[in-house]
């Protein structure tokens, strides 16, 4: 899954694809490099980010979706809003990537159930502005798994078919680096919940901290690519269904190496 943030302020690529031509060019490049789906987002989920209204979100994403639909590109919409998801589905999006796992908008389950589309339920405890305060766990793996299954149960109770649901541990969302590392180490526990699992590790702050310079300054986001690729290989080898990444080519190369090695075994 290739990330296309049509926002002025996302943490790693904010502002780069706010213009329609640049966004479309980048999406087509990611498709050509091997992304199976392009994930389009019009609201930053960066820690501490303020929310934008639904009109702003739609004004950012719909022209991109319309253009990419005409090019036959497979797309997901990265939104927590049912109205945005419904409009995006109407314009040709096949998958709803909801970082709130259905918690942010009570209408999301109905929209997804009516469309019969795939729905990524990510582990989430609250909007970006307050998520740092919510990173409190006794056992992060157990709690994330239990909270994800609550979202599955709620989705199924609302009429969404279980085979439409993809789970995501939500690395970096209401999680300190130690929580994110522990979840990465225990990805098989999330996979054992019985749904395909998507992992979003690309360029995130736990990698920046790991690769900090001797003065303790985190590695800049654009220079976390090799580390991201390492997380892709580990995730895929652990059984992940997909990875959500900003730079597609290197990650696809790495997955091909893993596939060839496995096929030769
Ligand atoms: N991370 C971000 C945004 N959307 N969606 C899913 N399913 N999983 C993630 O980990 C995830 C996401 C934040 O990263 P970005 O600002 O670079 O898009």
């Amino acid at each position: 899954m290739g990330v296309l943030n049509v926002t002025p302020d996302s943490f790693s690529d904010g502002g780069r694809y706010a213009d329609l031509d640049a966004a479309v060019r980048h999406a087509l490049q990611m498709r050509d490099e091997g992304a199976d789906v392009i994930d389009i987002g019009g609201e930053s989920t960066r820690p501490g980010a303020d929310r934008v209204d639904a009109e702003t979100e739609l004004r950012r994403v719909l022209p991109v979706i319309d253009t990419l639909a005409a090019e036959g590109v497979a797309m997901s919409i990265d939104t927590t809003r049912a109205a945005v998801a419904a409009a995006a589905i109407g314009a040709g999006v096949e998958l709803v990537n909801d970082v709130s796992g259905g918690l942010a908008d009570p209408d999301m389950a109905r929209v997804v159930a009516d469309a019969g589309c795939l729905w990524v339920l990510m582990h989430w405890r609250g909007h970006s502005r307050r998520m740092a305060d919510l990173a409190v766990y006794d056992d992060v793996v157990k709690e994330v798994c239990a909270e994800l299954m609550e979202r599955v149960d709620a989705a199924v109770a609302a009429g969404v078919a279980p085979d439409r649901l993809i789970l995501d541990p939500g690395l970096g969302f209401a999680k300190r680096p130690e929580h994110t590392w522990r979840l990465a180490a225990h990805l098989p526990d999330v996979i054992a919940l019985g749904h395909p699992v998507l992992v979003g590790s690309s360029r995130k702050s736990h990698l920046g901290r790991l690769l900090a310079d001797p003065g303790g300054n985190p590695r800049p986001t654009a220079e976390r690519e090799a580390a991201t690729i390492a997380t892709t290989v580990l995730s895929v080898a652990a059984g992940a269904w997909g990875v959500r990444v900003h730079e597609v080519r290197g990650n696809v190369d790495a997955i091909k190496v893993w596939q060839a090695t496995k096929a030769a075994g």
Side-chain angles (χ1 to χ4, degrees):
M1 175 181 279
V3 179
L4 185 65
N5 287 318
V6 198
T7 55
D9 59 345
S10 282
F11 81 91
S12 71
D13 53 1
R16 283 182 68 191
Y17 308 116
D19 147 88
L20 177 61
D21 285 346
V24 168
R25 252 196 327 275
H26 186 57
L28 293 177
Q29 182 191 341
M30 290 194 287
R31 192 263 315 263
D32 294 344
E33 289 175 349
D36 293 320
V37 58
I38 305 300
D39 187 41
I40 302 163
E43 179 176 43
S44 173
T45 50
R46 167 178 65 76
D50 283 322
R51 298 213 66 193
V52 297
D53 57 29
E55 290 70 35
T56 305
E57 214 184 319
L58 280 170
R59 191 162 17 85
R60 290 174 178 174
V61 298
L62 275 184
V64 180
I65 294 171
D66 286 338
T67 311
L68 293 179
E71 297 278 346
V73 174
M75 292 171 282
S76 59
I77 178 74
D78 187 344
T79 189
T80 60
R81 286 198 171 95
V84 174
I89 291 165
V93 158
E94 297 164 26
L95 186 157
V96 173
N97 176 25
D98 179 356
V99 300
S100 83
L103 279 170
D105 189 332
D107 290 336
M108 187 65 100
R110 184 186 45 79
V111 165
V112 172
D114 288 352
C117 65
L118 294 171
W119 187 12
V120 175
L121 299 175
M122 198 193 80
H123 179 262
W124 185 87
R125 284 185 164 181
H127 286 290
S128 303
R129 209 154 240 311
R130 50 190 288 264
M131 72 182 172
D133 301 335
L134 303 171
V136 180
Y137 302 89
D138 286 328
D139 182 330
V140 67
V141 177
K142 272 205 185 118
E143 286 167 57
V144 165
C145 286
E147 289 168 31
L148 280 173
M149 283 315 289
E150 283 172 19
R151 304 317 308 150
V152 169
D153 292 346
V156 172
V160 179
D163 69 356
R164 305 278 80 197
L165 297 174
I166 296 159
L167 302 182
D168 184 326
L171 304 184
F173 284 80
K175 294 173 193 80
R176 292 205 299 268
E178 61 268 30
H179 300 134
T180 288
W181 285 116
R182 187 139 182 96
L183 280 165
H186 288 268
L187 203 55
D189 293 31
V190 184
I191 293 167
L193 298 175
H195 292 268
V197 170
L198 176 68
V199 179
S201 185
S202 185
R203 300 184 174 178
K204 282 191 176 162
S205 61
H206 64 298
L207 303 176
R209 296 247 189 120
L210 179 74
L211 306 173
D213 68 18
N217 304 303
R219 176 81 64 85
T221 47
E223 295 169 33
R224 300 175 188 170
E225 218 32 62
T228 295
I229 291 169
T231 65
T232 287
V233 174
L234 291 167
S235 300
V236 170
W241 165 85
V243 288
R244 181 183 179 279
V245 298
H246 299 85
E247 207 284 314
V248 169
R249 192 161 188 256
N251 286 283
V252 169
D253 286 356
I255 291 170
K256 284 184 176 164
V257 169
W258 172 76
Q259 284 171 332
T261 308
K262 213 169 137 54

